[in-house]
Amino acid sequence: MPKILVSGGAGYIGSHTVVELLNVGHEVIIVDNLINSSREAVHRIQQITGKQVALHVFDLQDTHKLDSLFEQNTDIEAVVHFAGLKAVGESVKKPLLYYRTNIDATLSLLEVMEKHEVHKLVFSSSATVYGSAPIPYSESSPAGQGITSPYGQTKYFIEQIVTDAANANPDNQFSILRYFNPIGAHESGLIGEDPLGIPNNLMPFVAQVASGRREKLSIFGNDYQTPDGTCVRDYIHVVDLAKGHVAALEHLQTGTNTFNLGSGKGTSVLELVNAFTDTTGQEVVYEFADRRDGDLPAFYANPRKAADELGWKTEKTIHDMCRDTWNWQSKNPNGYTDNKEI
Ligand code: NAD
Ligand code: UDP
């Protein structure tokens, strides 16, 4: 079966995608420097699937090591590229680190792929590239205006780099996937999101309040022009998202093709918190706090293109996302503990 290299495959979305790739029969090798993940995630992937995965621990910016890896694996057919830094707030404080890491890692990967004539790539982008475009966001909506963080800018710049590289060689078949808000975990409860330190994102914070690890959730703003005053996002189950990558790999075309991976439905912060309590029976103590800098009031996907061209759409509900998050959180209250402080 085709061998797929997954950069960042030990991370949250990467680990779930590796499971789905193995499930459909691909062979997978992972490159990850474990800066935001754990070897244990890879053991768990093997436990879920009963299949072996090779993990190579190094920084993607190390072009020499990457080159050797491609030399030793001449049968790599495609790359799914997740590796990068993703903390929006940290990127505002350390913009150069974000530009250096995310862009350099991608350049290194594209150069080595070109050298070894690997022509298939799926890249993790984000709905953040739509910035201030009107909602719902379609792939034809303007991108690149009103992006609120250096992290978001790296995604936008890398999209341009990937597009230019694709166009330079008619053999290249690249796909750019713009994710909306991934939450949830594998139904086994063996893999899930394991943020370092205090979570920045809503769902891991909710889960840690429910489990007693954090005292209360601050809801950032309740005076937005939305139905209940809290921000609206398009939450997508991480397993649906992972399956979107399998579909994208199966439908690669010459050049670059960009897809939204979202559900098309908006859910407010309060709706998500209430759904979590309804589903799990766990109370989530919260207070309303000031708006968070850079947050947009509401955005969600127009998911039509992925449905029409990839034959992919989300299947799981907000209820499934809350159930599976809680299953993961309660079975792993401290995440993958092998390299994390508790
Ligand atoms: P994650 O941090 O869990 O996974 C990223 C993985 O890449 C980690 O395992 C990390 O150790 C590894 N990594 C980082 N820099 C590396 C480098 N230079 N060399 C090798 N490995 C490196 O994040 P995630 O949530 O799984 O996100 C995966 C991708 O999807 C990222 O590119 C992220 O920007 C993008 N994305 C995530 C979200 C989200 O909400 N989680 C939304 C949109 C886009
Ligand atoms: N949010 C919140 N409290 C938190 C974390 C997030 O109220 O502790 C809100 C945030 O303001 C946003 C929504 O939850 O409106 C989703 O935030 P997240 O960081 O998960 O995703 P993003 O901002 O990238 O869409």
Side-chain angles (χ1 to χ4, degrees), residues 245-302:
H245 293 72
V246 177
L249 272 174
E250 283 166 1
H251 291 84
L252 286 168
Q253 291 173 355
T254 301
T256 311
N257 211 348
T258 301
F259 295 98
N260 285 342
L261 295 185
S263 73
K265 293 187 209 77
T267 301
S268 75
V269 176
L270 268 180
E271 283 172 331
L272 189 71
V273 170
N274 291 333
F276 188 89
T277 298
D278 289 349
T279 303
T280 65
Q282 301 299 313
E283 194 194 356
V284 178
V285 181
Y286 65 82
E287 63 179 5
F288 291 115
D290 290 344
R291 292 181 177 194
R292 183 171 71 176
D293 281 349
D295 273 345
L296 292 165
F299 63 83
Y300 48 93
N302 175 342

Side-chain angles (χ1 to χ4, degrees), residues 7-14 31-37 58-61 81-86 101 105 124-127 151 155 179-182 193 201:
S7 81
Y12 173 47
I13 305 170
V31 175
D32 198 305
N33 64 0
L34 303 181
I35 197 161
N36 195 36
S37 55
F58 64 86
D59 195 310
L60 216 58
Q61 293 172 90
H81 176 36
F82 294 101
L85 301 176
K86 63 156 187 179
T101 307
S124 300
S125 190
S126 166
Y151 162 74
K155 290 294 174 195
Y179 310 156
F180 284 68
N181 286 58
E193 187 167 13
N201 296 108

Side-chain angles (χ1 to χ4, degrees), residues 201-215:
N201 296 108
L202 178 61
M203 192 52 141
F205 208 107
V206 166
Q208 292 192 8
V209 172
S211 73
R213 192 165 157 192
R214 314 256 162 223
E215 194 192 342

